[in-house]
Amino acid sequence: MALRFELAGAKASGLAAPRRGKLVLHRLVGKDAGVERPAIVLETPAFFKYTRHGLQPHLVPEVAAEVDALPPATRVQIEDFFDSDAPDCSRFEEGLHKFIALDTAEILMLDTLDPTISVRTAKPANTYMAIGSEAGTKRLTPDLFAQLANSLKPDIVIPLADIVEEPLPSLTQGKRISKSVTRSAKWLDECTAALTYPAAVFAPVVGSHSLELRTMAAKALAARHDIAGYAFNDVCLTLPMEQKLNLVQHSLELLDASKPRYMLGASAPDSVLCAVLRGIDLFDSSYPYAVTELGLASTYVLGSDGPAKPLPYSLDLWQDAMFADFGPLVEGCTCFTCRSHHRSYVHHLLKTKEMLATVLLQIHNMHWYQRFFGDIRRSLEQGTLPADAALFLQRYNCKEKPFSELDTLAAQACSPTTKIQRKRHAESQKP
């Protein structure tokens, strides 16, 4: 198996600039691994489809097929399967694609943690990452991670790292961040040494908000020749996205610019645009999931075709005004939901807590998200992305009110189709 990244146009540079490229996977199959399948190509900037327990939220494979042109890339996090000290999937030798019934024509990434969870109570130790689960706190060691990767045979792995949650500047004077950099480097060495399956390794870039420690961590990664790409995970830092991107940019200037860059926690459209302008290539699709969970339909548009005056970037299907609105979720949208159903019906499904509500919303929101990334790539090709991004951020007043669905989701206890109504909707009905 071989994974390579091809940059289009300008020569690779660590400077803050948007870039186009291709992630190309060649996978050998057959009894003696001597038969090469057609290459899987992922045009970048792009996203890996977010999953929970190995499935896209609200979309079984047959329903997901209704969403046109989704990228051939899926991410799975180990913590979803950590219901015992040794997850059951570790005993499955036929690979993660088969374990979760995923098409082998998909690039599969194996990560450790769910990017939608920003607050964690379990604390790491020198020899393991602590993962909170319904069965209590579990310990993920580098050896166990490698064992899982060798059994599950993903195409890309992101080894465990010690992610710092606390955003207080005073920590830069203490040992917490320094310890996280040391631990992460040690765990990366142990994971790569124990990997026998030839998965591409995307190394976690650490250092939290300490520029000195980010410099040290990035220089160490840049000197390695066993790394295929880089993963930035600052989800737990409660800093504005612009400040997070400044930290990411500091690391990027020291890393190998020819390798792909994957960023977690930046899946909201405004964050995606700002990150792409800084040179990030890959994201996850947790944002459409958050929008669906709140009973919303995406309406944001990139480019001059958008509304002339500021409009909401999403439609709230909980509103009473939807009761007798028989138009599509978005006029002109070609997704299955907009072709086949109307606002009133989805509003009814939400009110009656029917599971079909989130299925129809997720179809629309994923369709809209992949269209957004297609617009980004076209804008890059035409050389208009900086202007289009500036117009987008101004149109939706992102500087004053960033896209906040992921933050809202983190505070919600349940899905809109459960029997327990979300607090914000229950309160909205009070006189």
Side-chain angles (χ1 to χ4, degrees), residues 240-275:
M241 181 55 62
E242 187 66 21
Q243 291 185 34
K244 288 185 181 182
L245 289 172
N246 287 339
L247 294 171
V248 168
Q249 183 58 39
H250 179 82
S251 299
L252 285 179
E253 292 171 356
L254 302 166
L255 295 169
D256 185 345
S258 67
K259 295 179 180 179
R261 306 147 171 184
Y262 173 56
M263 185 172 180
L264 294 96
S267 63
D270 53 344
S271 298
V272 167
L273 285 174
C274 293

Side-chain angles (χ1 to χ4, degrees), residues 136-168:
T137 300
K138 302 302 177 184
R139 298 180 178 183
L140 178 62
T141 64
D143 282 344
L144 179 54
F145 176 89
Q147 177 189 336
L148 287 166
N150 292 333
S151 298
L152 297 177
K153 304 175 178 63
D155 302 306
I156 299 172
V157 295
I158 301 179
L160 60 162
D162 183 6
I163 305 299
V164 176
E165 293 187 35
E166 301 88 349
L168 300 177

Side-chain angles (χ1 to χ4, degrees), residues 38-310:
I40 305 171
V41 179
L42 179 65
E43 301 276 351
T44 64
F47 63 88
F48 279 76
K49 296 187 288 289
Y50 169 75
T51 65
R52 292 178 70 88
H53 304 282
L55 284 174
Q56 290 188 69
H58 310 301
L59 299 179
V60 296
E62 294 76 10
V63 175
E66 293 291 343
V67 186
D68 295 332
L70 284 178
T74 297
R75 59 154 285 137
V76 173
Q77 50 266 358
I78 288 176
E79 73 169 323
D80 284 346
F81 302 95
F82 234 110
D83 49 1
S84 62
D85 292 335
D88 291 341
C89 60
S90 66
R91 304 180 182 89
F92 191 75
E93 297 291 338
E94 297 182 62
L96 187 54
H97 279 88
K98 191 166 184 178
F99 187 81
I100 63 175
L102 184 69
D103 192 334
T104 54
E106 293 263 339
I107 300 174
L108 180 57
M109 173 186 285
L110 182 66
D111 200 352
T112 52
L113 301 177
D114 188 330
T116 66
I117 300 174
S118 58
V119 178
R120 297 183 175 275
T121 56
K123 302 300 180 184
N126 286 332
T127 57
Y128 63 84
M129 169 189 280
I131 295 179
S133 73
E134 293 182 1
T137 300
K138 302 302 177 184
R139 298 180 178 183
L140 178 62
T141 64
D143 282 344
L144 179 54
F145 176 89
Q147 177 189 336
L148 287 166
N150 292 333
S151 298
L152 297 177
K153 304 175 178 63
D155 302 306
I156 299 172
V157 295
I158 301 179
L160 60 162
D162 183 6
I163 305 299
V164 176
E165 293 187 35
E166 301 88 349
L168 300 177
S170 61
L171 286 175
T172 59
Q173 301 172 9
K175 298 181 179 179
R176 178 65 186 96
I177 300 177
S178 177
K179 187 178 293 184
S180 79
V181 172
T182 304
R183 277 179 184 163
S184 298
K186 175 176 176 288
W187 291 349
L188 179 61
D189 287 338
E190 293 174 357
C191 285
T192 53
L195 276 174
T196 56
Y197 184 75
V201 176
F202 277 30
V205 181
V206 295
S208 189
H209 49 78
S210 167
L211 296 183
E212 178 183 354
L213 291 169
R214 289 190 85 97
T215 297
M216 183 177 76
K219 285 183 176 180
L221 291 179
R224 300 184 67 121
H225 301 290
D226 56 349
I227 300 302
Y230 304 110
F232 295 86
N233 185 353
D234 293 305
V235 172
C236 295
L237 284 181
T238 54
L239 298 173
M241 181 55 62
E242 187 66 21
Q243 291 185 34
K244 288 185 181 182
L245 289 172
N246 287 339
L247 294 171
V248 168
Q249 183 58 39
H250 179 82
S251 299
L252 285 179
E253 292 171 356
L254 302 166
L255 295 169
D256 185 345
S258 67
K259 295 179 180 179
R261 306 147 171 184
Y262 173 56
M263 185 172 180
L264 294 96
S267 63
D270 53 344
S271 298
V272 167
L273 285 174
C274 293
V276 168
L277 291 173
R278 300 289 190 108
I280 297 297
D281 307 299
L282 299 165
F283 303 84
D284 68 82
S285 66
S286 53
Y287 176 77
Y289 165 64
V291 174
T292 293
E293 287 290 288
L294 299 177
L296 307 175
S298 295
T299 62
Y300 52 87
V301 177
L302 176 67
S304 58
D305 295 335
K309 61 180 180 179

